[in-house]
Amino acid sequence: MASTSATPAPEKYMPKNILITGAAGFIASHVANRLVRDHPSYLRPAILPMGLSACRRAGPGAVRRFVHVSTDEVYGETDKDAPVGKHEASQLLPTNPYSATKAAAEMLVMAYARSYGLPAITTRGNNVYGPQQIPVKLVPKFILLAMRDGSHARSYLYCEDVAEASDVVLHRGEIGSVYNIGTTRERRVIDVARHICGMFGLNPVEAIRAVSDRPFNDHRYFIDDQKLKALGWSERTPWEVGIKKTADWYIKHGNDWWGDVSGALLPHPRMLTPQQSFDSASMTNFDFN
């Protein structure tokens, strides 16, 4: 997410134009909706492909703030009994190819900041859930499975809270800083499954079936978000409220929003969009063992 602006107010940055890459995606769409709703004086966020090279070509001062969205996975696995989460200066120790590419992207942004003066800010967030999320993700998958009749711990943030955090970072974040977007309210995957079973009147003993774990699956991600809280942000949506809002959305839209999601509800799916082709010789609908 990048923005251009006239001279900002000393206490709060006020952008004039906001460009969001990937604004049709799950999290970015909630951020874009919030910016349009809560800041009507701004020009509408544009869904445009604006990368690092484009920012450099725009010339000095053209981009006033570049917010790069990363993930808590770049820190690697948190010790099971760690009482304090990883802070922004913690060492990056990604443990799987996905998180390694995310860490590499952060290094690239940092290099542009140091070499070309890109005014970058990075966020690293916990798992996000909410309406409109693709069904391969854990929360919508469990809801859709429950509608049809583990020991790993994760911290789940409702999408609107994450959108608010992005808003705060955009307007109050310090250039060159990293901000964790997190929650201390951790939940085991099995507890999420049991909660959703209860929402749909299902017996967890009968409805929950254990499957093999996915490859390279860290057991815990726990981060410290005090730095972001110092800017005025805090988690607003309790789990019980957010999960009900999410379930209500899928009850209303889940059967027709994504089309046939049968493949997404399998363990470790590789769900293809209608725009993608399926090559049975090169891949299957499952993660490779």
Side-chain angles (χ1 to χ4, degrees):
M1 182 166 63
S3 60
T4 60
S5 173
T7 302
E11 71 282 359
K12 185 177 180 181
Y13 175 70
M14 299 297 293
K16 179 180 178 182
N17 296 302
I18 303 172
L19 293 85
I20 302 177
T21 61
F26 169 57
I27 299 175
S29 66
H30 286 280
V31 174
N33 289 339
R34 178 184 177 85
L35 292 174
V36 170
R37 181 186 69 239
D38 293 358
H39 303 283
S41 62
Y42 295 174
L43 301 181
R44 286 183 176 271
I47 305 173
L48 296 172
M50 186 172 186
L52 294 171
S53 296
C55 290
R56 180 189 175 192
R57 290 196 300 269
V63 175
R64 301 296 300 273
R65 192 159 293 205
F66 185 97
V67 181
H68 173 66
V69 180
S70 187
T71 171
D72 59 358
E73 292 193 39
V74 298
Y75 293 118
E77 190 170 48
T78 306
D79 292 340
K80 181 179 179 180
D81 300 323
V84 179
K86 300 291 182 68
H87 54 80
E88 288 82 357
S90 296
Q91 186 176 6
L92 303 189
L93 295 170
T95 59
N96 58 66
Y98 167 79
S99 57
T101 62
K102 290 291 189 178
E106 285 198 31
M107 298 302 102
L108 191 58
V109 171
M110 184 185 301
Y112 267 75
R114 292 178 175 175
S115 296
Y116 307 116
L118 181 71
I121 303 173
T122 297
T123 66
R124 299 172 184 150
N126 283 149
N127 285 23
V128 184
Y129 72 98
Q132 304 175 14
Q133 191 171 30
I134 191 168
V136 298
K137 298 300 184 180
L138 184 138
V139 169
K141 174 183 287 190
F142 283 4
I143 290 173
L144 290 170
L145 285 171
M147 287 170 56
R148 291 191 166 199
D149 191 349
S151 66
H152 296 72
R154 293 293 185 266
S155 301
Y156 297 94
L157 279 169
Y158 189 61
C159 54
E160 290 297 328
D161 290 345
V162 176
E164 181 181 359
S166 300
D167 189 334
V168 170
V169 169
L170 173 64
H171 291 92
R172 298 191 176 95
E174 182 180 352
I175 300 299
S177 291
V178 177
Y179 295 94
N180 288 336
I181 306 174
T183 174
T184 58
R185 299 166 182 166
E186 294 180 287
R187 279 177 174 77
R188 296 180 303 164
V189 171
I190 186 64
D191 293 329
V192 174
R194 289 169 178 164
H195 186 110
I196 292 173
C197 282
M199 295 175 67
F200 288 90
L202 300 176
N203 183 342
V205 176
E206 298 176 354
I208 297 175
R209 177 173 59 90
V211 299
S212 60
D213 199 1
R214 74 181 187 188
F216 318 112
N217 194 15
D218 295 326
H219 275 74
R220 187 188 188 205
Y221 300 116
F222 187 41
I223 58 177
D224 184 319
D225 62 353
Q226 293 303 309
K227 186 175 178 180
L228 180 58
K229 286 181 176 177
L231 296 183
W233 177 86
S234 63
E235 180 184 9
R236 297 181 184 274
T237 309
W239 165 258
E240 292 76 13
V241 174
I243 194 66
K244 185 180 186 304
K245 288 182 178 180
T246 303
D248 288 346
W249 186 90
Y250 280 95
I251 290 171
K252 183 177 180 180
H253 300 287
N255 290 327
D256 53 18
W257 188 269
W258 292 105
D260 182 10
V261 297
S262 300
L265 303 184
L266 297 169
H268 317 312
R270 289 182 175 274
M271 181 181 177
L272 298 176
T273 67
Q275 291 75 30
Q276 294 174 308
S277 60
F278 182 85
D279 182 359
S280 59
S282 62
M283 64 177 287
T284 69
N285 196 46
F286 300 92
D287 282 325
F288 302 107
N289 294 322

